[in-house]
Amino acid sequence: MSTSAPADPPPLSARRQQTRDRLLDAAYQILAEHGIAGASIEAVCEAAGFTRGAFYSNFDSKTELFLALTEREQRRRLAQLESDAVAVAAEARAHGRSLDTQLVGEVIAALLSGQPDDRQWRLISNEFELLALRQPEEAARFLQFEEQILVELADVVERLATSLGLRLVIPAIDATRLFMAGYAASTRQAYLLGPGDHGATARELAARWLPAVVERLIEPLED
């Protein structure tokens, strides 16, 4: 007797999807401002214009809401990343710039940045990691989600390199892990420095070191 694979859950109705999206939109602002510990379900419901009943018909807990928000935002950014990076490369080459490590570094910085200077998203991402550290039962879920995003981003990096006539000298996932770690450090520095005479965006800070790293990790494709 054969067994069939479990069916995918049925799609949400348009009305329920709209309710979820409004709750997630409200949670984005409140979580960025107050953190997961300081953000109450009541505050999210009030900001979204719904009752607690509407909340619990869509999410089991505040943690579930938080994880759904994180996944949604990561998916949105991944959908936009490759086109952003390709656009940077196309614009630079349209202005006569040759394909050098400086340009490739700028393209990869554009790929990693997602949305420039998104301080709220940085705060929410940090909250996700803190949640995993404070609640060991969530750590495995956090790591699985982080690895999934890394794999998908590495695929984008590898395809982008190929489109530029290049290849990575180490596995794409390892190169992407290095790029992401360095860019995260630049993002942290940019936010702590803040705007002003001494301030710089994460992309500007990454431009100081990323080309040198890129030079060691890429080479031309063989003819």
Side-chain angles (χ1 to χ4, degrees):
M1 179 178 178
S2 62
T3 58
S4 58
D8 292 332
L12 298 175
S13 68
R15 183 175 181 180
R16 185 171 182 185
Q17 186 63 59
Q18 184 180 47
T19 299
R20 284 177 63 90
D21 285 340
R22 284 174 59 183
L23 287 166
L24 291 170
D25 289 342
Y28 190 101
Q29 302 296 326
I30 292 171
L31 285 166
E33 183 176 354
H34 300 289
I36 191 169
S40 67
I41 291 175
E42 290 78 7
V44 172
C45 291
E46 182 178 355
F50 292 120
T51 64
R52 288 175 64 93
F55 178 92
Y56 284 112
S57 69
N58 286 278
F59 304 103
D60 294 334
S61 65
K62 186 169 63 173
T63 298
E64 283 297 321
L65 169 73
F66 185 46
L67 295 174
L69 173 64
T70 302
E71 182 169 6
R72 186 188 74 166
E73 293 305 311
Q74 289 283 24
R75 291 279 164 249
R76 285 180 172 180
R77 282 160 174 73
L78 280 171
Q80 188 65 38
L81 288 181
E82 187 169 11
S83 62
D84 286 350
V86 170
V88 170
E91 181 180 0
R93 298 179 79 171
H95 286 80
R97 291 188 59 186
S98 60
L99 186 63
D100 55 19
T101 54
Q102 184 72 31
L103 174 56
V104 176
E106 291 175 14
V107 171
I108 292 176
L111 179 65
L112 296 176
S113 64
Q115 295 182 2
D117 303 323
D118 192 343
R119 185 181 184 88
Q120 287 184 316
W121 176 240
R122 172 70 175 178
L123 291 169
I124 291 172
S125 298
N126 286 346
E127 284 289 329
F128 190 14
E129 184 168 357
L130 287 172
L131 174 68
L133 290 171
R134 289 170 175 156
Q135 299 183 17
E137 65 275 14
E138 296 293 345
R141 188 172 181 176
F142 169 77
L143 291 173
Q144 181 181 20
F145 179 74
E146 188 179 59
E147 191 68 15
Q148 179 182 349
I149 294 299
L150 178 64
V151 168
E152 293 180 25
L153 185 55
D155 180 62
V156 173
V157 169
E158 189 164 34
R159 285 189 283 111
L160 178 62
T162 301
S163 73
L164 295 173
L166 304 167
R167 77 174 188 88
L168 294 157
V169 300
I170 63 175
I173 194 166
D174 294 331
T176 304
R177 201 185 303 274
L178 289 173
F179 295 147
M180 288 180 67
Y183 196 84
S186 293
T187 302
R188 179 178 181 275
Q189 183 180 2
Y191 288 148
L192 291 177
L193 287 173
D197 294 338
H198 301 291
T201 67
R203 194 180 295 189
E204 289 169 343
L205 292 172
R208 301 174 186 175
W209 57 265
L210 195 49
V213 175
V214 168
E215 184 175 16
R216 290 159 176 78
L217 294 181
I218 63 172
E219 63 183 15
L221 283 170
E222 296 179 1
D223 296 332

